[in-house]
Amino acid sequence: MFDSLLIANRGEIACRIIRTARRMGLATIAVHSDADRDALHVRMADRAIAIGGAAASDSYLRLDRIMAAARASGAGAIHPGYGFLSERPELARACEENGIAFVGPNARAIAAMGAKIEAKRLAEEAGVPCIPGYSGEDQSTGNLARAAREIGLPVMVKASAGGGGKGMRAVHDEAGLEAAIDAARTEAERAFGDGRLLIEKLVRNPRHVEVQLIGDKHGTLLHLFERDCSVQRNHQKLIEEAPAPGLLPETRERLFEAALRLGRAIGYDSAGTVEFVMDAVTQEVHFLEMNTRLQVEHTVTEEITGLDLVELQLRAAAGEKLALTQDEVTCNGHAIQARLTAEDASAGFRPDTGKVLLWSPPAELRCDAGIEPGAEIGAAYDSMIAKLIAHGPDRDAARRKLLSGLDRLEVAGLATTRLFLRDALASPDFAQGNVTTDFIARNWPDGWRAPEADGLALAAAALASRPRAAATPWQALSGFRLLAQAGCPARVTYVDAAAPESRVVLEARGPGCWQTIGTDGETQEIAAQWTGPDRVRITRDGVAESFAAAHHDGRMWLCGPGTEIACAVLPLGDLGQDRAAGDGASPERIAAPMPGLVVEIRVAAGDTVAKGDTLVVMESMKLLMELKAAADGTVAEIAASERDTVEAGRLLVRLEPAER
């Protein structure tokens, strides 16, 4: 066994690897970009080495800098985590050339599964069932479109390289076929530097199931059961579980046999996952791809087997034999994982950025996280900030445990998917195991919306912004304008930043007592009491509720069971005169919804556009966003250039509205 390990990654997976390495007595070495110099994984490691700028292309994707850090630190091994360089055979080869153990499979296996076109060919040769499709050399848009027509719509257009839903488009009708091919190619080239595509028949009633493999360098290869990862948005997973619910015994055996057959065909010798798409009705399975690395969802497999997959990877990389047989791998109970991402689920899962003001995961859940209070979430990396995992004796016990834990999770400072995950777990479809990859579209056809905050929640957020040491409620209103008339109570208006129509007026009535006036004019008396540094207790009609709260940069954040809002202070005035805080956004202003890179501007000054036309394409947190015209008009101004890095709210295009 080597004595030191360099982790060529960041965030929660770097922290998770460090914990196992430390338990095994290994010295740990972190690498970090300029943006991550103060990150949790950097402070957890025994040593940390700077490798470049904030952009992944200047740091975590720089093989030369990773290897220079490994040589300088004397690292005995490199663990790539997932993403970044984890599936690059060049890293495995560089480790071999430098006498450093690579914690992953051999370079030949990585290369064999590195492109979906070649992987599908090898799977077919190994007798693994595959989806009918086209993966030929002629990659012209016209030929790919012809192939799609011959296969028969609907089809899936897929990037040959990479994963994570990038370069994937489902096409259901002829009208959008060629545009989908061009968009998928552009996204694949940007994400992976490889624009090759394949066309596959779209499987109806699809479930996403996968088999975890573990191998060693002595020819042993085992399966560690299967997982279901069907709850997805934009082809990216949100909730995963093991074992997969509702599978017939013969379906499980087919999955295990197919995964092992492919793994043996390429000489697989580490942790990896073979992914399948399965018809939920017939349970017919087809090969999708193989991920030659640790998966984000490896945690649920660890929970049901009691095995530490990172430890097994490290031991395999050191040349040790697996210390168990297939018969000794057992499945105990059920585990479910929810990926918590910095995204606004009410806005189509738009990524968000900001400072983590509150972070307190519940003790009853396993939490793999790379954040803590004060952490800055920027736009340079993936939006996932933590994984919450529940294990129980059966599926419903695990589901209820995770549901309860999400209610008690306290996180504030930026939008997260906490409440969406809670609603997803509570839905009848999920509770009954009736989940396919269109789960979100089927349950929320018009998009998921956060529950509307009531007056009490808004008042709690408002009161939470008051300094606790103030002698009177009037002194407590520091930073807010008071009415000048003698004897008139302090009066401030608050608005839910996510729903500007939801607001409350707060009037101080006496020490610890306030009256709230809701949007509908209804009034109520409430009392407030601080019970901790970040906690306020609100009493109404004799009923008390406790909220976690934080105040930062003009907003009050509130977090409680079923509640999560950002509350902005408005100018003093009557409800009818209040205007929502904002940057003057209107249908004529196309502004950046969040910090990011301007990838493409598709219009020029003077162009006539129609409602729904894409005007600008932005990239943020590895996602491409198309900004569309909200109304018909003429382009009056182009206020940005391609390749500009812009802040949230920055004007990009201004339109002159069409005459009516």
Side-chain angles (χ1 to χ4, degrees):
M1 176 61 66
F2 33 81
D3 58 9
S4 59
L5 176 69
L6 183 144
I7 301 96
N9 216 297
R10 63 178 302 280
E12 57 85 19
I13 185 57
C15 296
R16 185 262 172 276
I17 293 167
I18 289 170
R19 285 191 289 270
T20 288
R22 181 171 293 162
R23 179 174 57 78
M24 295 176 65
L26 304 179
T28 55
I29 304 148
V31 295
H32 66 88
S33 68
D34 292 345
D36 280 340
R37 64 170 61 91
D38 297 319
L40 181 60
H41 79 277
V42 172
R43 289 182 287 105
M44 281 182 64
D46 298 305
R47 297 179 62 186
I49 300 174
I51 55 171
S57 57
D58 294 331
S59 51
Y60 298 106
L61 289 172
R62 287 289 299 268
L63 175 60
D64 56 337
R65 294 179 182 175
I66 296 291
M67 295 309 302
R71 288 190 294 268
S73 63
I78 293 178
H79 196 308
Y82 38 68
F84 296 134
L85 297 175
S86 62
E87 293 182 283
R88 298 285 183 88
E90 296 86 356
L91 176 58
R93 294 190 190 104
C95 286
E96 185 177 356
E97 292 167 0
N98 285 270
I100 297 171
F102 176 68
V103 185
N106 62 80
R108 295 181 304 280
I110 299 174
M113 294 290 106
K116 292 183 179 66
I117 291 175
E118 286 78 7
K120 185 174 181 178
R121 178 180 56 80
L122 286 169
E124 289 173 336
E125 292 176 356
V128 176
C130 295
I131 305 171
Y134 173 81
S135 56
E137 294 296 322
D138 187 345
Q139 289 284 305
S140 66
T141 298
N143 187 64
L144 291 173
R146 281 192 296 274
R149 295 185 193 101
E150 291 172 2
I151 294 166
L153 298 176
V155 297
M156 179 68 78
V157 181
K158 296 169 61 175
S160 177
K166 299 176 182 66
M168 292 181 66
R169 297 289 189 280
V171 184
H172 294 270
D173 55 68
E174 177 74 26
L177 178 58
E178 293 196 1
I181 291 170
D182 290 339
R185 180 184 290 113
T186 298
E187 193 168 77
E189 287 172 345
R190 287 190 53 77
F192 316 120
D194 184 347
R196 291 180 300 160
L197 304 173
L198 62 158
I199 311 291
E200 292 182 338
K201 184 68 177 175
L202 190 66
V203 177
R204 298 184 185 277
N205 307 305
R207 284 179 61 181
H208 187 123
V209 293
E210 59 190 34
V211 177
Q212 176 70 58
L213 298 181
I214 186 70
D216 62 24
K217 299 185 183 305
H218 303 274
T220 302
L221 185 67
L222 311 176
H223 75 75
L224 305 183
F225 305 108
E226 85 286 353
R227 301 183 285 251
D228 188 292
C229 311
S230 297
V231 179
Q232 304 177 3
R233 53 88 177 91
N234 303 324
H235 305 294
Q236 293 181 310
K237 303 165 187 174
L238 286 176
I239 299 176
E240 301 104 341
E241 58 183 309
L247 292 192
L248 298 170
E250 54 267 32
T251 302
R252 281 199 169 88
E253 289 305 315
R254 286 201 304 271
L255 287 168
F256 299 156
E257 181 185 356
L260 289 168
R261 189 183 298 130
L262 180 60
R264 290 173 183 138
I266 61 173
Y268 204 75
D269 54 3
S270 185
T273 302
V274 184
E275 302 196 352
F276 299 87
V277 62
M278 182 185 79
D279 186 305
V281 177
T282 66
Q283 295 204 1
E284 183 180 8
V285 297
H286 301 281
F287 170 73
L288 270 180
E289 62 182 345
M290 182 174 187
N291 290 299
T292 54
R293 53 170 169 80
L294 199 66
Q295 289 276 85
V296 176
E297 59 271 24
H298 74 277
T299 56
V300 292
T301 296
E302 291 183 325
E303 292 298 312
I304 64 168
T305 61
L307 300 172
D308 183 328
L309 266 69
V310 173
E311 178 177 354
L312 294 179
Q313 281 187 300
L314 293 169
R315 295 194 180 282
E320 295 184 14
K321 291 183 178 181
L322 283 172
L324 70 166
T325 65
Q326 188 68 71
D327 290 341
E328 293 172 325
V329 181
T330 58
C331 178
N332 173 33
H334 201 95
I336 307 177
Q337 169 178 281
R339 302 190 190 194
L340 186 75
T341 58
E343 296 177 343
D344 184 350
S346 291
F349 296 93
R350 183 182 67 201
D352 196 18
T353 59
K355 178 179 287 188
V356 179
L357 305 178
L358 294 174
W359 176 247
S360 180
E364 68 268 25
L365 299 183
R366 170 177 171 176
C367 179
D368 283 13
I371 62 167
E372 59 187 345
E376 289 281 353
I377 307 300
Y381 310 116
D382 188 272
S383 61
M384 188 175 71
I385 55 177
K387 303 180 304 190
L388 298 153
I389 307 100
H391 179 262
D394 55 46
R395 185 176 187 270
D396 196 56
R399 184 187 69 87
R400 290 177 181 275
K401 184 177 179 180
L402 185 53
L403 189 60
S404 174
L406 286 167
D407 257 345
R408 283 193 288 280
L409 170 67
E410 295 175 359
V411 56
L414 70 171
T416 74
T417 50
R418 180 179 77 98
L419 293 183
F420 165 79
L421 293 168
R422 182 187 180 283
D423 281 359
L425 290 165
S427 71
D429 272 353
F430 190 90
Q432 296 162 14
N434 182 26
V435 175
T436 56
T437 57
D438 63 351
F439 167 78
I440 294 177
R442 189 174 68 247
N443 281 270
W444 298 281
D446 298 321
W448 178 85
R449 292 290 179 269
E452 187 172 321
D454 64 10
L456 176 66
L458 286 167
L463 293 168
S465 70
R466 304 299 196 270
R468 293 184 296 283
T472 72
W474 289 273
Q475 292 172 341
L477 290 168
S478 60
F480 304 127
R481 182 157 58 98
L482 302 183
L483 291 177
Q485 294 92 329
C488 186
R491 178 184 175 99
V492 183
T493 304
Y494 295 81
V495 62
D496 182 348
E501 69 280 359
S502 180
R503 60 186 68 190
V504 65
V505 171
L506 186 71
E507 290 187 344
R509 294 298 192 189
C513 296
W514 287 264
Q515 176 178 272
T516 68
I517 308 171
T519 307
D520 56 4
E522 182 181 352
T523 64
Q524 58 182 328
E525 299 291 327
I526 62 173
Q529 178 186 11
W530 282 91
T531 58
D534 301 308
R535 187 165 296 278
V536 64
R537 186 181 181 88
I538 305 295
T539 303
R540 171 180 60 175
D541 297 331
V543 178
E545 292 186 58
S546 184
F547 299 90
H551 181 210
H552 178 70
D553 198 23
R555 285 190 175 187
M556 281 61 69
W557 294 84
L558 185 84
C559 187
T563 302
E564 188 174 285
I565 64 170
C567 188
V569 184
L570 297 186
L572 185 66
D574 293 332
L575 276 174
Q577 298 172 333
D578 292 333
R579 296 178 62 243
D583 61 357
S586 70
E588 291 78 39
R589 288 171 50 87
I590 307 302
M594 65 175 297
L597 178 72
V598 178
V599 175
E600 184 181 1
I601 297 176
R602 295 186 179 177
V603 291
D607 286 356
T608 300
V609 299
K611 180 179 178 180
D613 287 351
T614 298
L615 308 184
V616 180
V617 180
M618 282 189 62
E619 181 182 26
S620 186
M621 287 187 172
K622 300 183 180 180
L623 296 177
L624 290 179
M625 297 176 289
E626 294 185 349
L627 308 185
K628 301 178 183 293
D632 298 346
T634 303
V635 178
E637 179 186 3
I638 303 294
S641 301
E642 292 183 357
R643 310 305 302 168
D644 280 358
T645 299
V646 297
E647 294 300 315
R650 161 79 179 274
L651 177 67
L652 305 176
V653 175
R654 184 170 60 83
L655 300 178
E656 288 288 350
E659 294 184 4
R660 297 180 180 177

